[in-house]
């Protein structure tokens, strides 16, 4: 029930941001479409902690900027490799330490979002990652990002 | 629009163009498919982050700012999933990567 | 200045287009086209500011989602040769 209320509020806030016209008729269309969307989401059974992970929103306030900084660093690194041609691709096989599937997906997505590392397979808790250079792969295997995501996941 | 904000926004857009260009060059230069995935990732992340931030600085506080933030969020949510899907499809298809040496593991 | 930005993005798009034309595998082409889609989003956003019509941002937002779904549709079509049927279960 809490999830439904928060989903409704979020969808309506989104609608208000998009619309820009706040007459009575247009806004009531908005209310109707929000109700339709929530009803559809209910029918699809996706209003749960996986489909609507509102409980992770607060934790993302610290994780987001950290990930952004990692992305900036990785971008500069990969750009240098583009110019110098100094690449040494390798596969990395690591275990995702997160408990829930949602945590693992966040971890795999974070890996892919960082240039220089691409998650190729995620089965169970095993990740197959392609990295652009052995150093990048060894850095990933040390697991700084994994422990960050575990912490993010634990804050629910 | 203050002069400083204007200059800052052009620095952002210029940086975004630079990184997009790096991504494009990498897409052409890198030797195999999996390496090209990384090059594509540069454009998807920092290229779009910087260009959209530059536009945000041009906008100021209004509704369009929310739209730009949402575009950025959508891009950051969808691009890794799409990139992963392409790489996974190639892997399942049996496309070999040019790799040197053994696999790195965390054990 | 927005002209410079859009020309820069067009140059990047042409680089991706070269990769899409060269291949060699179908996955390279899909990757290049997906990448071009991302740049198209940026181009639409910049064009909106260039022409002084920020309404273009709505189009950009929709284009992100279409690009995402389109990539998946093409991948599915490449793998199964059919969009209408559900994918067979994993491991077949």
């Amino acid at each position: 029930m809490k999830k439904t209320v928060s989903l409704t509020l979020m969808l309506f806030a989104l609608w208000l941001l998009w619309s820009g016209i706040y007459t009575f008729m247009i806004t009531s269309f908005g209310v109707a479409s929000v109700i339709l969307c929530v009803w559809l989401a209910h029918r699809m059974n996706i209003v749960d902690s996986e489909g609507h992970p509102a409980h992770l929103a607060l934790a993302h306030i610290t994780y987001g900027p950290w990930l952004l900084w990692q992305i900036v660093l990785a971008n500069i690194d990969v750009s240098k490799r583009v110019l110098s041609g100094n690449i040494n691709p390798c596969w990395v096989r690591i275990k995702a330490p997160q408990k829930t599937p949602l945590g693992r997906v966040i971890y795999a997505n974070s890996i892919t979002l960082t240039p220089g590392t691409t998650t190729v397979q995620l089965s169970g808790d095993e990740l197959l990652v392609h990295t652009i250079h052995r150093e990048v792969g060894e850095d990933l295997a040390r697991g700084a990002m994994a422990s960050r995501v575990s912490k993010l996941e634990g804050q629910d | 629009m203050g002069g400083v904000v204007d200059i800052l926004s052009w620095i952002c857009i210029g940086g975004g163009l630079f990184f997009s260009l790096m991504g494009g060059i990498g897409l052409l230069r890198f030797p195999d498919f999996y390496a090209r995935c990384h090059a594509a990732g540069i454009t998807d992340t920092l290229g779009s982050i910087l260009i959209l931030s530059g536009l945000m600085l041009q906008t100021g506080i209004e509704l369009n700012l929310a739209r730009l933030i949402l575009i950025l969020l959508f891009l950051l949510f969808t691009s890794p999933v799409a990139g992963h899907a392409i790489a996974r499809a190639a892997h399942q298809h049996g496309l070999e990567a040019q790799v040197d040496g053994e696999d790195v593991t965390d054990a | 200045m927005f002209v410079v930005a859009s020309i820069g993005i067009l140059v990047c798009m042409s680089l991706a287009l070269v990769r899409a034309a060269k291949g060699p595998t179908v996955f390279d082409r899909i990757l290049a086209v997906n990448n071009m889609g991302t740049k198209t989003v940026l181009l639409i956003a910049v064009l909106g500011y260039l022409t002084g019509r920020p309404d273009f941002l709505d189009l950009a937002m929709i284009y992100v989602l279409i690009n995402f779904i389109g990539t998946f549709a093409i991948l599915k079509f490449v793998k199964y040769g059919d969009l209408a049927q559900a994918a067979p279960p994993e491991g077949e």
Side-chain angles (χ1 to χ4, degrees), chain A residues 130-144:
Chain A
H130 187 269
T131 59
I132 197 155
H133 198 279
R134 191 157 282 270
E135 293 163 15
V136 181
E138 280 161 3
D139 205 42
L140 179 70
R142 258 173 241 135

mmCIF file of all heavy atoms in Angstrom, chain A residues 130-144:
data_model
loop_
_atom_site.group_PDB
_atom_site.id
_atom_site.type_symbol
_atom_site.label_atom_id
_atom_site.label_comp_id
_atom_site.label_asym_id
_atom_site.label_seq_id
_atom_site.Cartn_x
_atom_site.Cartn_y
_atom_site.Cartn_z
ATOM 1 N N HIS A 130 33.901 -7.760 -19.567
ATOM 2 C CA HIS A 130 34.984 -7.489 -20.504
ATOM 3 C C HIS A 130 35.582 -6.142 -20.144
ATOM 4 O O HIS A 130 34.865 -5.155 -20.019
ATOM 5 C CB HIS A 130 34.458 -7.464 -21.934
ATOM 6 C CG HIS A 130 35.541 -7.347 -22.957
ATOM 7 N ND1 HIS A 130 35.971 -6.139 -23.421
ATOM 8 C CD2 HIS A 130 36.288 -8.280 -23.584
ATOM 9 C CE1 HIS A 130 36.936 -6.352 -24.301
ATOM 10 N NE2 HIS A 130 37.149 -7.631 -24.425
ATOM 11 N N THR A 131 36.913 -6.108 -19.955
ATOM 12 C CA THR A 131 37.551 -4.829 -19.635
ATOM 13 C C THR A 131 38.549 -4.485 -20.719
ATOM 14 O O THR A 131 39.058 -5.358 -21.411
ATOM 15 C CB THR A 131 38.283 -4.871 -18.279
ATOM 16 O OG1 THR A 131 39.264 -5.891 -18.343
ATOM 17 C CG2 THR A 131 37.334 -5.152 -17.164
ATOM 18 N N ILE A 132 38.813 -3.197 -20.819
ATOM 19 C CA ILE A 132 39.635 -2.722 -21.920
ATOM 20 C C ILE A 132 41.115 -2.934 -21.640
ATOM 21 O O ILE A 132 41.918 -3.028 -22.549
ATOM 22 C CB ILE A 132 39.327 -1.236 -22.191
ATOM 23 C CG1 ILE A 132 39.847 -0.847 -23.560
ATOM 24 C CG2 ILE A 132 39.892 -0.337 -21.127
ATOM 25 C CD1 ILE A 132 39.123 0.303 -24.126
ATOM 26 N N HIS A 133 41.483 -3.035 -20.374
ATOM 27 C CA HIS A 133 42.888 -3.228 -20.031
ATOM 28 C C HIS A 133 42.958 -4.054 -18.758
ATOM 29 O O HIS A 133 42.076 -3.987 -17.918
ATOM 30 C CB HIS A 133 43.591 -1.877 -19.826
ATOM 31 C CG HIS A 133 45.090 -1.970 -19.899
ATOM 32 N ND1 HIS A 133 45.848 -2.379 -18.851
ATOM 33 C CD2 HIS A 133 45.933 -1.730 -20.918
ATOM 34 C CE1 HIS A 133 47.128 -2.374 -19.208
ATOM 35 N NE2 HIS A 133 47.206 -1.990 -20.466
ATOM 36 N N ARG A 134 44.029 -4.847 -18.647
ATOM 37 C CA ARG A 134 44.199 -5.716 -17.489
ATOM 38 C C ARG A 134 44.158 -4.935 -16.181
ATOM 39 O O ARG A 134 43.574 -5.386 -15.194
ATOM 40 C CB ARG A 134 45.535 -6.444 -17.629
ATOM 41 C CG ARG A 134 45.762 -7.572 -16.675
ATOM 42 C CD ARG A 134 46.779 -8.511 -17.232
ATOM 43 N NE ARG A 134 46.186 -9.369 -18.250
ATOM 44 C CZ ARG A 134 45.629 -10.542 -17.958
ATOM 45 N NH1 ARG A 134 45.577 -10.961 -16.730
ATOM 46 N NH2 ARG A 134 45.108 -11.272 -18.905
ATOM 47 N N GLU A 135 44.771 -3.733 -16.178
ATOM 48 C CA GLU A 135 44.794 -2.922 -14.946
ATOM 49 C C GLU A 135 43.369 -2.575 -14.503
ATOM 50 O O GLU A 135 43.060 -2.644 -13.308
ATOM 51 C CB GLU A 135 45.557 -1.612 -15.195
ATOM 52 C CG GLU A 135 47.028 -1.787 -15.445
ATOM 53 C CD GLU A 135 47.633 -0.542 -16.071
ATOM 54 O OE1 GLU A 135 46.984 0.522 -16.038
ATOM 55 O OE2 GLU A 135 48.752 -0.646 -16.604
ATOM 56 N N VAL A 136 42.538 -2.207 -15.491
ATOM 57 C CA VAL A 136 41.151 -1.853 -15.153
ATOM 58 C C VAL A 136 40.445 -3.060 -14.547
ATOM 59 O O VAL A 136 39.710 -2.951 -13.557
ATOM 60 C CB VAL A 136 40.407 -1.363 -16.415
ATOM 61 C CG1 VAL A 136 38.987 -0.978 -16.080
ATOM 62 C CG2 VAL A 136 41.129 -0.194 -17.050
ATOM 63 N N GLY A 137 40.681 -4.239 -15.127
ATOM 64 C CA GLY A 137 40.063 -5.455 -14.629
ATOM 65 C C GLY A 137 40.501 -5.793 -13.217
ATOM 66 O O GLY A 137 39.688 -6.167 -12.366
ATOM 67 N N GLU A 138 41.823 -5.624 -12.952
ATOM 68 C CA GLU A 138 42.317 -5.929 -11.605
ATOM 69 C C GLU A 138 41.748 -4.950 -10.590
ATOM 70 O O GLU A 138 41.450 -5.317 -9.458
ATOM 71 C CB GLU A 138 43.850 -5.898 -11.602
ATOM 72 C CG GLU A 138 44.434 -7.184 -12.170
ATOM 73 C CD GLU A 138 45.872 -7.038 -12.614
ATOM 74 O OE1 GLU A 138 46.441 -5.943 -12.426
ATOM 75 O OE2 GLU A 138 46.412 -8.020 -13.154
ATOM 76 N N ASP A 139 41.601 -3.699 -11.033
ATOM 77 C CA ASP A 139 41.001 -2.688 -10.164
ATOM 78 C C ASP A 139 39.568 -3.064 -9.807
ATOM 79 O O ASP A 139 39.149 -2.947 -8.653
ATOM 80 C CB ASP A 139 41.033 -1.344 -10.900
ATOM 81 C CG ASP A 139 41.018 -0.196 -9.934
ATOM 82 O OD1 ASP A 139 41.720 -0.286 -8.919
ATOM 83 O OD2 ASP A 139 40.301 0.780 -10.194
ATOM 84 N N LEU A 140 38.839 -3.558 -10.818
ATOM 85 C CA LEU A 140 37.444 -3.958 -10.596
ATOM 86 C C LEU A 140 37.368 -5.151 -9.650
ATOM 87 O O LEU A 140 36.525 -5.209 -8.759
ATOM 88 C CB LEU A 140 36.804 -4.304 -11.937
ATOM 89 C CG LEU A 140 35.355 -4.769 -11.896
ATOM 90 C CD1 LEU A 140 34.466 -3.614 -11.526
ATOM 91 C CD2 LEU A 140 34.949 -5.325 -13.240
ATOM 92 N N ALA A 141 38.297 -6.111 -9.822
ATOM 93 C CA ALA A 141 38.271 -7.331 -9.014
ATOM 94 C C ALA A 141 38.566 -7.041 -7.551
ATOM 95 O O ALA A 141 38.220 -7.835 -6.676
ATOM 96 C CB ALA A 141 39.279 -8.335 -9.569
ATOM 97 N N ARG A 142 39.209 -5.885 -7.269
ATOM 98 C CA ARG A 142 39.462 -5.528 -5.868
ATOM 99 C C ARG A 142 38.168 -5.209 -5.134
ATOM 100 O O ARG A 142 38.112 -5.265 -3.906
ATOM 101 C CB ARG A 142 40.423 -4.343 -5.814
ATOM 102 C CG ARG A 142 41.839 -4.773 -5.471
ATOM 103 C CD ARG A 142 42.810 -3.623 -5.598
ATOM 104 N NE ARG A 142 43.815 -3.929 -6.603
ATOM 105 C CZ ARG A 142 44.216 -3.096 -7.543
ATOM 106 N NH1 ARG A 142 43.688 -1.905 -7.628
ATOM 107 N NH2 ARG A 142 45.134 -3.462 -8.403
ATOM 108 N N GLY A 143 37.132 -4.796 -5.892
ATOM 109 C CA GLY A 143 35.791 -4.776 -5.310
ATOM 110 C C GLY A 143 35.385 -3.529 -4.550
ATOM 111 O O GLY A 143 34.564 -3.591 -3.645
ATOM 112 N N ALA A 144 35.960 -2.360 -4.907
ATOM 113 C CA ALA A 144 35.536 -1.126 -4.231
ATOM 114 C C ALA A 144 34.074 -0.831 -4.566
ATOM 115 O O ALA A 144 33.284 -0.479 -3.689
ATOM 116 C CB ALA A 144 36.428 0.037 -4.670
#
